[in-house]
Amino acid sequence: MSSRDFAAWMAAIQQRTEQALDAALPDAALSPDELHAAMRYAVLEGGKRVRALLVHAAGEIAAAEPERLDRAACAVELIHAYSLVHDDLPCMDNDVLRRGKPTVHVEFGEATALLTGDALQTLAFQVLSDTPLADDAGRQLEMIAQLAQASGSRGMAGGQAIDLASVGKELTREELEFMHIHKTGALIRASVRLGALCGAPDDDALDRLDRYGKLVGLLFQVVDDILDADADTATLGKTAGKDADHDKPTYVSLLGISETRALADALLAEACEALAPLGGRAHHLAELAGFIVHRKF
């Protein structure tokens, strides 16, 4: 597949995800209008939709219907958006810029931002449960449970708690990996699994996709650490260097920039190796792993 073909596929998925999110979110004219406006502000017209792209690419391997994948993609993007709104709050990372525009609490106030995150989280589970997304109800319940676990104390929220508790501390590489597998990796891994479960994957394919998802989830955070240390605010669309400013442990602070880049290359190779037996069906997933390493914001 040429880079032009991959870019066209990516743009098409991003567009249909934006349309699906627009349809899923409440109309800003409906009461409570400020909350609904804040929800739309937090979600629409921003980000690369990496998690949605992973949902669709994994779903291709399992021959899932695109309309089902749209719903699963919406669910993970809503969870991701809620987490960003809450992460940016003064009681958390206290950031004023996200995706190149003022954060939700700057634009709408802290109380509305808190409610926005709450409402986006619950909407994600409504989207994942209100239409059939699998061939049997048990499989769809499994999808709901997996998204819940990836979002909660044994996933993203738990990883964020560890992150907050680690400020000013030196973590071992194993401790840092454990934190990031939960904080960032859990939702990315769930995105891959949800996409596959919208279709009918065989056990071997699902195992390989799950390993790929775990590796890519960690890879995403490793690259994030590199970008935070090495890119400027205009490039990132969010405040650059905030991890160092907040004295947070990162792969760059632990290993240095050169070794962290080598780690990213190694994770990329492992992720592609996990996909290799799946052949051409996995080409979009392989391209996405490379995109995560070389992404520009």
Side-chain angles (χ1 to χ4, degrees):
M1 165 177 265
S2 71
S3 59
R4 181 176 298 178
D5 289 340
F6 174 68
W9 172 82
M10 191 165 67
I13 298 301
Q14 289 166 332
Q15 181 179 17
R16 69 181 296 144
T17 300
E18 193 76 12
Q19 292 170 343
L21 285 166
D22 180 66
L25 287 160
D27 191 320
L30 297 176
S31 182
D33 53 353
E34 183 179 30
L35 175 59
H36 290 157
M39 290 168 69
R40 299 181 73 84
Y41 179 89
V43 174
L44 299 177
E45 298 178 6
K48 295 293 186 184
R49 307 296 184 202
V50 170
R51 292 152 191 81
L53 291 163
L54 288 166
V55 168
H56 277 269
E60 290 174 355
I61 292 173
E65 296 174 9
E67 292 75 18
R68 290 182 174 183
L69 296 173
D70 287 336
R71 302 293 287 180
C74 276
V76 295
E77 287 291 336
L78 289 167
I79 291 288
H80 178 53
Y82 123 70
S83 75
L84 298 182
V85 173
H86 280 189
D87 283 356
D88 290 335
L89 285 168
C91 62
M92 300 283 277
D93 287 347
N94 193 22
D95 215 330
V96 298
L97 190 68
R98 174 69 67 179
R99 293 172 172 171
K101 61 185 183 181
T103 47
V104 174
H105 72 272
V106 171
E107 192 74 12
F108 293 91
E110 289 182 38
T112 296
L114 182 66
L115 291 172
T116 296
D118 293 343
L120 292 174
Q121 183 189 48
T122 54
L123 180 59
F125 290 99
Q126 179 183 335
V127 167
L128 198 60
S129 61
D130 63 4
T131 58
L133 299 184
D135 291 336
D136 65 82
R139 176 62 63 88
Q140 191 157 346
L141 283 173
E142 181 184 351
M143 294 166 66
I144 295 167
Q146 288 189 0
L147 183 60
Q149 181 170 327
S151 306
S153 64
R154 290 178 292 169
M156 183 178 64
Q160 181 67 26
I162 296 170
D163 186 34
L164 290 170
S166 300
V167 172
K169 297 180 180 179
E170 290 187 14
L171 300 185
T172 66
R173 183 164 172 173
E174 290 74 21
E175 289 170 333
L176 192 61
E177 181 174 310
F178 181 85
M179 178 176 76
H180 287 316
I181 282 174
H182 290 76
K183 179 187 173 185
T184 303
L187 188 58
I188 288 176
R189 187 178 183 180
S191 300
V192 175
R193 286 190 66 88
L194 262 59
L197 292 173
C198 283
D202 60 49
D203 290 343
D204 179 66
L206 191 57
D207 287 345
R208 291 190 173 279
L209 289 171
D210 190 53
R211 173 157 177 75
Y212 165 89
K214 182 178 180 180
L215 289 164
V216 165
L218 186 57
L219 173 63
F220 192 96
Q221 184 60 54
V222 170
V223 174
D224 238 25
D225 285 357
I226 294 169
L227 290 172
D228 187 76
D230 209 34
D232 58 29
T233 296
T235 301
L236 289 174
K238 58 183 180 180
T239 307
K242 67 178 183 179
D243 289 340
D245 291 343
H246 293 173
D247 200 16
K248 287 190 174 186
T250 68
Y251 280 99
V252 173
S253 66
L254 179 67
L255 303 176
I257 193 77
S258 295
E259 193 172 339
T260 303
R261 287 193 174 114
L263 174 60
D265 290 339
L267 289 168
L268 174 60
E270 284 188 67
C272 291
E273 182 181 346
L275 296 175
L278 300 176
R281 294 182 297 161
H283 63 278
H284 283 145
L285 283 173
E287 292 275 7
L288 278 170
F291 169 74
I292 287 169
V293 171
H294 303 295
R295 62 195 151 120
K296 301 291 182 184
F297 292 91

